[in-house]
Amino acid sequence: MRKRVWSSVLLLVLSLSLILAGCGSNNGGTAPASSGAETASGTSSSGSSDNGSEIKVGILHSLSGTMAISEKSVHDAELMAIEEINAKGGVLGKKLVPVIEDGASDWPTFAEKARKLISEDKVATVFGGWTSASRKAMLPVFEEMNGLLWYPVQYEGLESSPNIFYTGATTNQQIVPAVTWLLENRGKKCYLLGSDYVFPRTANKIIKEQLKAEGGELAGEEYTPLGHTDYSTIISKIQQADPDVVFNTLNGDSNVAFFKQLRDAGITAQDMTTLSVSVAEEEIRGIGADVLEGHLAAWNYYQTTDTPENKTFVENYKAKYGADRVTADPIEAGYTAVYLWAAAVEKAGSTDIAAVKEAAKGLEWSAPEGKVTIDGENQHIYKPVRIGEVQADGQFKELWSTGEAVKPDPYLKGYDWAASLSSGR
Amino acid sequence: MQLRTLTPQRIYILIGYAVAATALFCAPLYLNDFRLNLLAKFLAFAIVALGLDLIWGYTGILSLGHGVFFGLGAYAMAMYLKLEASGGRLPDFMEWSGLASLPLFWKPFESFGFAVAAGLLIPALLALFLGYFTFRNRIKGVYFTILTQALVIITTTLFIGQQALTGGTNGLTGFSTLFGTPLAGEGMKHTLYYVTAVLLIAAFVLCRFIVKSRFGKVLRAVRDGENRARFIGYNPAVYQMVVFSISGALAGLAGMLFVLHVGIISPSMMGIVPSIEMVLWVAIGGRGTLVGAALGAILMNAAKSVFSENYPDAWLFFLGLLFVIVVVFLPKGLVGLFSRITFRKREESEEHEAAAAISHPAVRAGNG
């Protein structure tokens, strides 16, 4: 009988805690980045965060979990851009205040935090995401609540949300030109190796169509689970197939295992070309430059990219976060995203999302990778494409580049062979 | 059950339940839409916790595979929503995965009734199936737990691998309407919240009924002395299978609600980590008490949200610290803390612990 008394006490506590959870987090929700952000001028225009002398912007990357190692650097670059903009007087004369959330490498968490940033913090825009899965999770939230997301990573294309700006490459700015280049310079026989998730599978689907159209030959196709580390079987399969090129869409830790075991099997970059689309300067640090020397990658930006803007960017990044840090393509794209948004807001004269989107059409900016332009139609950006070779110091040497920025074409409408991929769109 | 007189204790309990129910039903008045949505998600998690408590707390079966049952329910609902959102066309991910037409097994999910039935029955039947081959063969304790982990790995690998059929790692998302009403609307959100609250209360009542019934007494007998129960003439396997199946169905129900509130389901939600997290909610709230399990799920998830919002860089440390404190100082969970504070029934609880330790070492080990 007595047992029941404390269970009723518990129920009381439960109900109290429900109330407290609601109220408490309402107050605490804006900490810590925006401590003291509540300047109560109360003239909020167009329902966004345009309050008084500050504009709140959301930063939503994984700071914990498996993706943290990659996303933390982008998060750092975005904060650096915000700091630089504030040092120059902010946007519309107002200071930018970042509201930081942790996506925790978990897709529903990305959706939850995006919702929180828009509805509770009323941020003017959000910079965030890395994996396609996190973007796909956030997309319905941004569309439903009419928010604005800047997504900084190369991805598989076939998407164009009116509420997202894509500052990383779509397929025709990375994969498609890379395959063409390989077919012209390294041979026709292509082996596809990737992690088993959406980006590699979609990318390889595109590559297979392209090989058919451009006279290439498919030597084999293999997928391994994310985090897979035993590549001995696959390497011997590759040896048997004897391809000219391995097109590598592995992600994360798997690259470490694959390239080390490739070297242990006695295969060097001279014997067989591999081209990776998810190995950048950061990953080289983890895998080891000695292991990767001579292998290829396709990106839009390298730390070695020779522009005056990049020189300053690399210097500032190293000065702020340490001389041992490197910059890489997604880091640069995150940095660029903040500047592009700020420029669009200046042009629009407000943070109102419709106005910002309108102002962003055709907007140009001299990014570290070169001049980029926002495509008004699909909200991707024009980017130059570069193929690089890993050097002994862990940096890339540019072998080839398109020179000028390539127009983004997420649905590959400009390619006849891709008609079946984007059908019905 | 005989009629009881209204003792003061009984009045306290009734007041407790009344206050909890009132707090639940008035939540839309004092929470904004975002918080209400979060609370609704926590309530869905509480339903899983109730189911887990039935098998772990009352029957002594530790399942680290409830993420699968949760996920199956969630996918059933998500498939219905995805088809509705696609409006007769092929869902977007199938299109880019190269399917030309809707796979046969997706077709029935155009019906809401079928989706709900599948969301409840598929997890229940899977649990029954697994239970049939394990409990009947007297596989129990750690071995059963390992099997449930294997089930998790098999299922997540399958769902990730079959991208064209399941959406792969991205999972299913991008839903728009339910019965033609936008999911985003305020009215819809409130309705879904109330549906969840009512279902949680219904699940609670059901579990309470099970626990208090003769069936529930046999469950506890099986937990405390499976062989003794068998010698008396009960077949423990049947009881274990039935309760495991009910527990799976509750997880499926929670999964369906989760999808309606969160708008996405991916294989990561049915993986090993969420499956273990679910057990943690029960352990932290208080195993073997239904209120404790539900409370644990709600409070742990609320803590997770609040910590991560306020300390995005360090929230995991706080959460970890909380786990350590509960495991080290509150072996009986939060409920145990309250019982100690309220009554200081030390001798009695020690007696219980000793008895539990003798009769069920595996479960005690699971509790840390």
Side-chain angles (χ1 to χ4, degrees), chain A residues 4-6 8 10-11 15 22 28 64 102 112-113 115-116 119-120 133 136 144 197 201 205 423 425, chain B residues 9 12-13 17 19 31-32 34-35 41 95-96 163 169-170 173 184 189 264 295 305 308 310 315-316 335:
Chain A
R4 296 161 160 261
V5 180
W6 54 254
S8 74
L10 255 176
L11 281 166
S15 43
S64 58
D102 178 9
E112 176 194 322
K113 298 302 182 193
R115 198 173 283 277
K116 184 243 168 194
S119 71
E120 296 249 295
K136 294 257 184 233
E144 171 198 324
Y197 75 105
R201 282 197 178 261
K205 237 174 82 73
S423 61
R425 298 269 142 190
Chain B
Q9 283 94 333
Y12 289 143
I13 299 158
Y17 283 137
V19 171
L31 291 180
N32 64 30
F34 169 69
R35 294 293 158 197
K41 184 176 83 175
E95 211 170 86
W96 71 61
Q163 197 196 146
T169 342
N170 281 12
T173 183
K189 288 214 154 119
I264 174 174
L295 191 67
S305 278
S308 70
N310 291 305
W315 65 279
L316 277 172
V335 174

Tab-separated table of all heavy atoms in Angstrom, chain A residues 4-6 8 10-11 15 22 28 64 102 112-113 115-116 119-120 133 136 144 197 201 205 423 425, chain B residues 9 12-13 17 19 31-32 34-35 41 95-96 163 169-170 173 184 189 264 295 305 308 310 315-316 335:
chain	number	residue	atom	x	y	z
A	4	ARG	N	2.324	2.848	-3.115
A	4	ARG	CA	1.519	3.693	-3.984
A	4	ARG	C	1.664	5.167	-3.655
A	4	ARG	O	1.460	6.012	-4.510
A	4	ARG	CB	0.049	3.300	-3.824
A	4	ARG	CG	-0.155	1.925	-4.293
A	4	ARG	CD	-1.406	1.345	-3.751
A	4	ARG	NE	-1.764	0.230	-4.590
A	4	ARG	CZ	-2.651	0.304	-5.545
A	4	ARG	NH1	-3.295	1.410	-5.757
A	4	ARG	NH2	-2.913	-0.731	-6.274
A	5	VAL	N	2.004	5.466	-2.414
A	5	VAL	CA	2.085	6.867	-2.055
A	5	VAL	C	3.218	7.526	-2.804
A	5	VAL	O	3.065	8.582	-3.403
A	5	VAL	CB	2.275	7.021	-0.542
A	5	VAL	CG1	2.366	8.487	-0.197
A	5	VAL	CG2	1.121	6.368	0.184
A	6	TRP	N	4.363	6.852	-2.797
A	6	TRP	CA	5.455	7.535	-3.497
A	6	TRP	C	5.252	7.548	-4.995
A	6	TRP	O	5.738	8.414	-5.680
A	6	TRP	CB	6.829	7.051	-3.094
A	6	TRP	CG	7.126	5.586	-3.182
A	6	TRP	CD1	7.238	4.715	-2.148
A	6	TRP	CD2	7.376	4.833	-4.359
A	6	TRP	NE1	7.522	3.479	-2.612
A	6	TRP	CE2	7.621	3.518	-3.971
A	6	TRP	CE3	7.409	5.154	-5.733
A	6	TRP	CZ2	7.899	2.516	-4.858
A	6	TRP	CZ3	7.681	4.155	-6.621
A	6	TRP	CH2	7.925	2.853	-6.190
A	8	SER	N	2.562	8.319	-6.324
A	8	SER	CA	1.782	9.534	-6.568
A	8	SER	C	2.660	10.766	-6.430
A	8	SER	O	2.523	11.728	-7.176
A	8	SER	CB	0.604	9.613	-5.596
A	8	SER	OG	1.065	9.945	-4.314
A	10	LEU	N	5.679	10.835	-7.232
A	10	LEU	CA	6.407	10.840	-8.484
A	10	LEU	C	5.610	11.500	-9.599
A	10	LEU	O	6.134	12.276	-10.384
A	10	LEU	CB	6.664	9.399	-8.890
A	10	LEU	CG	8.083	8.967	-8.665
A	10	LEU	CD1	8.211	7.507	-9.002
A	10	LEU	CD2	8.996	9.793	-9.533
A	11	LEU	N	4.346	11.142	-9.629
A	11	LEU	CA	3.507	11.720	-10.669
A	11	LEU	C	3.468	13.230	-10.550
A	11	LEU	O	3.484	13.951	-11.538
A	11	LEU	CB	2.091	11.141	-10.561
A	11	LEU	CG	1.972	9.754	-11.151
A	11	LEU	CD1	0.674	9.104	-10.729
A	11	LEU	CD2	2.052	9.819	-12.664
A	15	SER	N	4.652	15.895	-13.390
A	15	SER	CA	3.878	16.986	-13.979
A	15	SER	C	4.606	18.315	-13.809
A	15	SER	O	4.640	19.137	-14.713
A	15	SER	CB	2.496	17.049	-13.341
A	15	SER	OG	2.596	16.881	-11.954
A	22	GLY	N	9.295	22.897	-20.105
A	22	GLY	CA	8.803	23.833	-21.099
A	22	GLY	C	9.286	25.243	-20.853
A	22	GLY	O	9.887	25.854	-21.722
A	28	GLY	N	16.278	29.494	-21.385
A	28	GLY	CA	17.680	29.147	-21.549
A	28	GLY	C	18.054	28.865	-22.983
A	28	GLY	O	19.206	28.679	-23.290
A	64	SER	N	29.356	16.403	-32.026
A	64	SER	CA	29.622	15.123	-31.369
A	64	SER	C	29.217	14.020	-32.330
A	64	SER	O	28.507	14.256	-33.294
A	64	SER	CB	28.839	15.029	-30.051
A	64	SER	OG	27.459	15.169	-30.293
A	102	ASP	N	24.118	21.520	-31.802
A	102	ASP	CA	24.838	20.297	-32.132
A	102	ASP	C	23.894	19.311	-32.818
A	102	ASP	O	22.919	18.870	-32.227
A	102	ASP	CB	25.398	19.696	-30.831
A	102	ASP	CG	26.136	18.389	-31.073
A	102	ASP	OD1	26.359	18.039	-32.254
A	102	ASP	OD2	26.497	17.731	-30.087
A	112	GLU	N	15.255	18.395	-35.467
A	112	GLU	CA	14.783	19.013	-34.218
A	112	GLU	C	15.471	20.350	-33.975
A	112	GLU	O	14.829	21.349	-33.654
A	112	GLU	CB	15.072	18.062	-33.039
A	112	GLU	CG	14.699	18.668	-31.686
A	112	GLU	CD	15.280	17.885	-30.508
A	112	GLU	OE1	15.317	16.636	-30.570
A	112	GLU	OE2	15.701	18.529	-29.525
A	113	LYS	N	16.805	20.370	-34.154
A	113	LYS	CA	17.544	21.602	-33.874
A	113	LYS	C	17.233	22.688	-34.907
A	113	LYS	O	17.203	23.871	-34.564
A	113	LYS	CB	19.043	21.315	-33.842
A	113	LYS	CG	19.473	20.338	-32.764
A	113	LYS	CD	19.087	20.816	-31.375
A	113	LYS	CE	19.576	19.836	-30.314
A	113	LYS	NZ	18.963	20.115	-29.012
A	115	ARG	N	14.378	23.107	-36.353
A	115	ARG	CA	13.084	23.620	-35.918
A	115	ARG	C	13.249	24.588	-34.753
A	115	ARG	O	12.627	25.642	-34.691
A	115	ARG	CB	12.214	22.441	-35.492
A	115	ARG	CG	10.746	22.713	-35.414
A	115	ARG	CD	9.994	21.431	-35.153
A	115	ARG	NE	9.863	20.589	-36.318
A	115	ARG	CZ	8.917	20.755	-37.248
A	115	ARG	NH1	8.038	21.715	-37.118
A	115	ARG	NH2	8.858	19.969	-38.286
A	116	LYS	N	14.133	24.225	-33.846
A	116	LYS	CA	14.360	25.066	-32.665
A	116	LYS	C	14.977	26.410	-33.079
A	116	LYS	O	14.560	27.460	-32.598
A	116	LYS	CB	15.282	24.318	-31.684
A	116	LYS	CG	15.510	25.038	-30.370
A	116	LYS	CD	16.947	25.389	-30.185
A	116	LYS	CE	17.152	26.355	-29.041
A	116	LYS	NZ	18.492	26.945	-29.067
A	119	SER	N	12.103	28.421	-34.890
A	119	SER	CA	10.915	28.844	-34.149
A	119	SER	C	11.243	29.503	-32.812
A	119	SER	O	10.542	30.407	-32.394
A	119	SER	CB	9.985	27.651	-33.930
A	119	SER	OG	10.541	26.781	-32.994
A	120	GLU	N	12.308	29.067	-32.136
A	120	GLU	CA	12.587	29.643	-30.817
A	120	GLU	C	13.563	30.817	-30.916
A	120	GLU	O	13.352	31.853	-30.329
A	120	GLU	CB	13.196	28.578	-29.922
A	120	GLU	CG	12.272	27.433	-29.629
A	120	GLU	CD	11.837	27.419	-28.190
A	120	GLU	OE1	12.736	27.223	-27.344
A	120	GLU	OE2	10.658	27.600	-27.911
A	133	ALA	N	22.102	12.855	-45.692
A	133	ALA	CA	21.010	12.447	-44.823
A	133	ALA	C	20.602	13.588	-43.899
A	133	ALA	O	19.408	13.804	-43.662
A	133	ALA	CB	21.429	11.236	-44.005
A	136	LYS	N	18.641	16.052	-46.002
A	136	LYS	CA	17.308	15.552	-46.323
A	136	LYS	C	16.397	15.628	-45.090
A	136	LYS	O	15.184	15.787	-45.219
A	136	LYS	CB	17.381	14.101	-46.795
A	136	LYS	CG	18.120	13.927	-48.107
A	136	LYS	CD	17.174	13.707	-49.272
A	136	LYS	CE	17.934	13.445	-50.561
A	136	LYS	NZ	17.523	14.325	-51.646
A	144	GLU	N	8.753	23.834	-44.503
A	144	GLU	CA	7.525	24.028	-43.741
A	144	GLU	C	7.508	25.376	-43.039
A	144	GLU	O	6.505	26.076	-43.034
A	144	GLU	CB	7.404	22.892	-42.702
A	144	GLU	CG	6.294	23.087	-41.688
A	144	GLU	CD	6.496	22.214	-40.459
A	144	GLU	OE1	6.988	21.074	-40.609
A	144	GLU	OE2	6.170	22.672	-39.354
A	197	TYR	N	25.821	4.172	-48.995
A	197	TYR	CA	24.758	5.114	-48.633
A	197	TYR	C	24.412	5.969	-49.833
A	197	TYR	O	24.878	5.696	-50.936
A	197	TYR	CB	25.111	5.918	-47.384
A	197	TYR	CG	26.132	7.012	-47.554
A	197	TYR	CD1	25.747	8.338	-47.576
A	197	TYR	CD2	27.474	6.703	-47.692
A	197	TYR	CE1	26.679	9.343	-47.719
A	197	TYR	CE2	28.408	7.701	-47.839
A	197	TYR	CZ	28.012	9.016	-47.855
A	197	TYR	OH	28.932	10.012	-48.000
A	201	ARG	N	25.914	5.752	-53.972
A	201	ARG	CA	25.027	4.996	-54.861
A	201	ARG	C	24.485	5.888	-55.971
A	201	ARG	O	24.440	5.483	-57.125
A	201	ARG	CB	23.884	4.369	-54.059
A	201	ARG	CG	24.340	3.110	-53.319
A	201	ARG	CD	23.167	2.271	-52.869
A	201	ARG	NE	23.616	1.053	-52.215
A	201	ARG	CZ	23.675	-0.127	-52.820
A	201	ARG	NH1	23.326	-0.256	-54.085
A	201	ARG	NH2	24.090	-1.186	-52.156
A	205	LYS	N	25.495	5.712	-59.981
A	205	LYS	CA	24.445	5.593	-60.993
A	205	LYS	C	24.702	6.580	-62.136
A	205	LYS	O	24.586	6.241	-63.308
A	205	LYS	CB	23.095	5.920	-60.357
A	205	LYS	CG	22.081	4.842	-60.481
A	205	LYS	CD	20.846	5.214	-59.710
A	205	LYS	CE	19.938	6.141	-60.471
A	205	LYS	NZ	19.223	5.529	-61.563
A	423	SER	N	14.308	12.034	-64.892
A	423	SER	CA	12.986	11.954	-65.498
A	423	SER	C	11.905	12.308	-64.493
A	423	SER	O	12.031	12.022	-63.307
A	423	SER	CB	12.738	10.531	-66.020
A	423	SER	OG	12.789	9.636	-64.931
A	425	ARG	N	11.071	15.175	-63.504
A	425	ARG	CA	11.314	16.401	-62.745
A	425	ARG	C	11.057	17.622	-63.585
A	425	ARG	O	11.543	17.709	-64.685
A	425	ARG	CB	12.765	16.420	-62.263
A	425	ARG	CG	13.080	15.285	-61.333
A	425	ARG	CD	12.850	15.682	-59.896
A	425	ARG	NE	12.295	14.588	-59.133
A	425	ARG	CZ	11.826	14.713	-57.905
A	425	ARG	NH1	11.821	15.858	-57.306
A	425	ARG	NH2	11.341	13.693	-57.261
B	9	GLN	N	-3.511	7.092	1.414
B	9	GLN	CA	-2.554	6.783	0.339
B	9	GLN	C	-3.251	6.751	-1.014
B	9	GLN	O	-2.761	7.280	-1.998
B	9	GLN	CB	-1.906	5.416	0.577
B	9	GLN	CG	-0.845	5.419	1.635
B	9	GLN	CD	-1.397	5.030	2.994
B	9	GLN	OE1	-2.588	5.240	3.258
B	9	GLN	NE2	-0.568	4.489	3.853
B	12	TYR	N	-3.945	10.088	-2.316
B	12	TYR	CA	-2.747	10.725	-2.875
B	12	TYR	C	-2.497	10.245	-4.302
B	12	TYR	O	-2.187	11.019	-5.198
B	12	TYR	CB	-1.501	10.393	-2.043
B	12	TYR	CG	-1.470	11.065	-0.697
B	12	TYR	CD1	-0.958	10.421	0.414
B	12	TYR	CD2	-1.934	12.383	-0.559
B	12	TYR	CE1	-0.917	11.035	1.650
B	12	TYR	CE2	-1.899	13.006	0.676
B	12	TYR	CZ	-1.397	12.326	1.789
B	12	TYR	OH	-1.363	12.941	2.997
B	13	ILE	N	-2.639	8.932	-4.485
B	13	ILE	CA	-2.373	8.384	-5.816
B	13	ILE	C	-3.328	8.968	-6.837
B	13	ILE	O	-2.918	9.405	-7.906
B	13	ILE	CB	-2.535	6.852	-5.825
B	13	ILE	CG1	-1.530	6.236	-4.861
B	13	ILE	CG2	-2.331	6.281	-7.207
B	13	ILE	CD1	-1.953	4.875	-4.408
B	17	TYR	N	-2.332	11.028	-10.133
B	17	TYR	CA	-2.720	10.726	-11.508
B	17	TYR	C	-3.478	11.892	-12.135
B	17	TYR	O	-3.256	12.246	-13.298
B	17	TYR	CB	-3.598	9.465	-11.558
B	17	TYR	CG	-2.815	8.184	-11.405
B	17	TYR	CD1	-3.266	7.154	-10.597
B	17	TYR	CD2	-1.616	8.005	-12.100
B	17	TYR	CE1	-2.550	5.968	-10.454
B	17	TYR	CE2	-0.893	6.827	-11.975
B	17	TYR	CZ	-1.362	5.814	-11.152
B	17	TYR	OH	-0.655	4.664	-11.029
B	19	VAL	N	-3.294	15.058	-11.394
B	19	VAL	CA	-2.408	16.181	-11.708
B	19	VAL	C	-1.602	15.887	-12.960
B	19	VAL	O	-1.469	16.736	-13.851
B	19	VAL	CB	-1.465	16.470	-10.510
B	19	VAL	CG1	-0.392	17.478	-10.913
B	19	VAL	CG2	-2.266	16.985	-9.324
B	31	LEU	N	2.963	25.518	-23.391
B	31	LEU	CA	4.147	25.252	-24.206
B	31	LEU	C	3.925	25.831	-25.600
B	31	LEU	O	2.822	25.768	-26.130
B	31	LEU	CB	4.379	23.741	-24.328
B	31	LEU	CG	4.812	22.999	-23.071
B	31	LEU	CD1	4.983	21.521	-23.382
B	31	LEU	CD2	6.103	23.565	-22.515
B	32	ASN	N	5.013	26.371	-26.190
B	32	ASN	CA	4.864	26.825	-27.571
B	32	ASN	C	4.911	25.613	-28.503
B	32	ASN	O	5.166	24.489	-28.077
B	32	ASN	CB	5.930	27.866	-27.926
B	32	ASN	CG	7.331	27.303	-27.876
B	32	ASN	OD1	7.550	26.124	-28.120
B	32	ASN	ND2	8.289	28.154	-27.563
B	34	PHE	N	6.958	24.461	-30.701
B	34	PHE	CA	8.184	23.683	-30.784
B	34	PHE	C	8.340	22.770	-29.567
B	34	PHE	O	8.631	21.585	-29.673
B	34	PHE	CB	9.388	24.633	-30.902
B	34	PHE	CG	10.702	23.939	-30.736
B	34	PHE	CD1	11.152	23.058	-31.717
B	34	PHE	CD2	11.492	24.159	-29.613
B	34	PHE	CE1	12.361	22.396	-31.577
B	34	PHE	CE2	12.700	23.506	-29.467
B	34	PHE	CZ	13.137	22.626	-30.449
B	35	ARG	N	8.098	23.348	-28.369
B	35	ARG	CA	8.235	22.552	-27.137
B	35	ARG	C	7.156	21.471	-27.074
B	35	ARG	O	7.394	20.374	-26.585
B	35	ARG	CB	8.136	23.454	-25.906
B	35	ARG	CG	9.265	24.436	-25.762
B	35	ARG	CD	10.585	23.743	-25.472
B	35	ARG	NE	11.694	24.606	-25.857
B	35	ARG	CZ	12.946	24.208	-26.034
B	35	ARG	NH1	13.261	22.936	-25.888
B	35	ARG	NH2	13.877	25.043	-26.384
B	41	LYS	N	7.116	13.990	-28.700
B	41	LYS	CA	8.123	12.977	-29.035
B	41	LYS	C	8.524	12.209	-27.773
B	41	LYS	O	8.645	10.984	-27.792
B	41	LYS	CB	9.332	13.665	-29.666
B	41	LYS	CG	10.400	12.698	-30.142
B	41	LYS	CD	11.533	13.415	-30.858
B	41	LYS	CE	12.540	13.966	-29.879
B	41	LYS	NZ	13.716	14.560	-30.534
B	95	GLU	N	12.812	6.993	-57.411
B	95	GLU	CA	13.115	7.519	-58.725
B	95	GLU	C	14.621	7.585	-58.935
B	95	GLU	O	15.139	7.122	-59.933
B	95	GLU	CB	12.508	8.910	-58.822
B	95	GLU	CG	12.068	9.296	-60.210
B	95	GLU	CD	11.264	10.559	-60.131
B	95	GLU	OE1	11.883	11.626	-60.155
B	95	GLU	OE2	10.033	10.497	-59.998
B	96	TRP	N	15.332	8.160	-57.966
B	96	TRP	CA	16.774	8.286	-58.189
B	96	TRP	C	17.523	7.004	-57.860
B	96	TRP	O	18.697	6.884	-58.117
B	96	TRP	CB	17.358	9.529	-57.509
B	96	TRP	CG	17.453	9.523	-56.018
B	96	TRP	CD1	18.163	8.653	-55.243
B	96	TRP	CD2	16.861	10.463	-55.118
B	96	TRP	NE1	18.044	8.992	-53.925
B	96	TRP	CE2	17.244	10.100	-53.816
B	96	TRP	CE3	16.045	11.586	-55.301
B	96	TRP	CZ2	16.824	10.801	-52.692
B	96	TRP	CZ3	15.646	12.276	-54.169
B	96	TRP	CH2	16.026	11.877	-52.893
B	163	GLN	N	18.426	0.431	-50.587
B	163	GLN	CA	18.132	1.851	-50.729
B	163	GLN	C	16.902	2.115	-51.583
B	163	GLN	O	16.093	2.984	-51.270
B	163	GLN	CB	19.340	2.556	-51.338
B	163	GLN	CG	19.286	4.049	-51.144
B	163	GLN	CD	20.244	4.800	-52.050
B	163	GLN	OE1	19.957	5.875	-52.487
B	163	GLN	NE2	21.407	4.244	-52.317
B	169	THR	N	20.323	5.023	-46.004
B	169	THR	CA	20.733	5.749	-44.792
B	169	THR	C	19.910	6.994	-44.562
B	169	THR	O	19.713	7.397	-43.427
B	169	THR	CB	22.191	6.246	-44.902
B	169	THR	OG1	22.843	5.524	-45.916
B	169	THR	CG2	22.897	6.098	-43.604
B	170	ASN	N	19.487	7.643	-45.643
B	170	ASN	CA	18.680	8.855	-45.486
B	170	ASN	C	17.369	8.563	-44.782
B	170	ASN	O	16.806	9.421	-44.129
B	170	ASN	CB	18.347	9.445	-46.848
B	170	ASN	CG	19.499	10.214	-47.423
B	170	ASN	OD1	20.617	10.132	-46.908
B	170	ASN	ND2	19.255	10.938	-48.472
B	173	THR	N	11.715	10.659	-45.418
B	173	THR	CA	11.374	11.974	-44.902
B	173	THR	C	10.685	12.762	-46.013
B	173	THR	O	10.456	12.228	-47.081
B	173	THR	CB	12.616	12.711	-44.356
B	173	THR	OG1	12.211	13.949	-43.810
B	173	THR	CG2	13.650	12.957	-45.437
B	184	ALA	N	2.083	20.315	-40.859
B	184	ALA	CA	2.717	21.461	-40.230
B	184	ALA	C	1.731	22.369	-39.498
B	184	ALA	O	2.117	23.173	-38.676
B	184	ALA	CB	3.455	22.266	-41.294
B	189	LYS	N	-0.915	19.710	-35.248
B	189	LYS	CA	0.106	19.429	-34.228
B	189	LYS	C	-0.557	19.166	-32.893
B	189	LYS	O	-0.169	18.257	-32.154
B	189	LYS	CB	1.075	20.608	-34.127
B	189	LYS	CG	1.978	20.683	-35.345
B	189	LYS	CD	3.353	21.193	-34.971
B	189	LYS	CE	4.381	20.686	-35.948
B	189	LYS	NZ	5.074	21.732	-36.654
B	264	ILE	N	10.677	12.200	-39.790
B	264	ILE	CA	11.741	11.441	-40.456
B	264	ILE	C	11.969	10.138	-39.697
B	264	ILE	O	11.819	10.098	-38.471
B	264	ILE	CB	13.069	12.235	-40.517
B	264	ILE	CG1	14.195	11.362	-41.092
B	264	ILE	CG2	13.463	12.791	-39.172
B	264	ILE	CD1	15.500	12.069	-41.328
B	295	LEU	N	8.545	7.977	-16.794
B	295	LEU	CA	9.209	9.183	-16.300
B	295	LEU	C	10.650	9.237	-16.777
B	295	LEU	O	11.144	10.283	-17.201
B	295	LEU	CB	9.151	9.168	-14.776
B	295	LEU	CG	9.557	10.441	-14.076
B	295	LEU	CD1	8.545	11.521	-14.372
B	295	LEU	CD2	9.654	10.193	-12.575
B	305	SER	N	17.717	17.257	-24.577
B	305	SER	CA	17.406	18.455	-25.356
B	305	SER	C	17.917	19.717	-24.676
B	305	SER	O	18.555	20.561	-25.293
B	305	SER	CB	15.901	18.577	-25.571
B	305	SER	OG	15.502	17.775	-26.642
B	308	SER	N	21.787	19.912	-24.591
B	308	SER	CA	22.448	20.137	-25.875
B	308	SER	C	22.136	21.521	-26.425
B	308	SER	O	22.923	22.084	-27.159
B	308	SER	CB	22.064	19.063	-26.887
B	308	SER	OG	20.719	19.212	-27.275
B	310	ASN	N	21.784	24.204	-24.481
B	310	ASN	CA	22.493	25.205	-23.695
B	310	ASN	C	24.005	25.051	-23.732
B	310	ASN	O	24.733	26.010	-23.603
B	310	ASN	CB	22.005	25.187	-22.255
B	310	ASN	CG	20.591	25.692	-22.162
B	310	ASN	OD1	20.298	26.788	-22.615
B	310	ASN	ND2	19.700	24.886	-21.615
B	315	TRP	N	27.527	19.047	-23.873
B	315	TRP	CA	26.320	18.432	-23.322
B	315	TRP	C	26.480	16.952	-23.062
B	315	TRP	O	25.893	16.422	-22.107
B	315	TRP	CB	25.132	18.690	-24.226
B	315	TRP	CG	25.202	18.073	-25.585
B	315	TRP	CD1	25.872	18.560	-26.666
B	315	TRP	CD2	24.611	16.860	-26.006
B	315	TRP	NE1	25.723	17.728	-27.734
B	315	TRP	CE2	24.950	16.677	-27.373
B	315	TRP	CE3	23.795	15.892	-25.376
B	315	TRP	CZ2	24.526	15.566	-28.100
B	315	TRP	CZ3	23.371	14.810	-26.123
B	315	TRP	CH2	23.745	14.649	-27.464
B	316	LEU	N	27.313	16.275	-23.870
B	316	LEU	CA	27.463	14.832	-23.684
B	316	LEU	C	28.100	14.514	-22.341
B	316	LEU	O	27.806	13.489	-21.736
B	316	LEU	CB	28.305	14.245	-24.811
B	316	LEU	CG	27.528	13.944	-26.095
B	316	LEU	CD1	28.472	13.550	-27.208
B	316	LEU	CD2	26.514	12.833	-25.853
B	335	VAL	N	12.919	6.474	-9.296
B	335	VAL	CA	11.826	6.023	-8.429
B	335	VAL	C	12.381	5.556	-7.092
B	335	VAL	O	11.830	5.831	-6.027
B	335	VAL	CB	11.051	4.887	-9.119
B	335	VAL	CG1	10.018	4.314	-8.174
B	335	VAL	CG2	10.390	5.402	-10.370
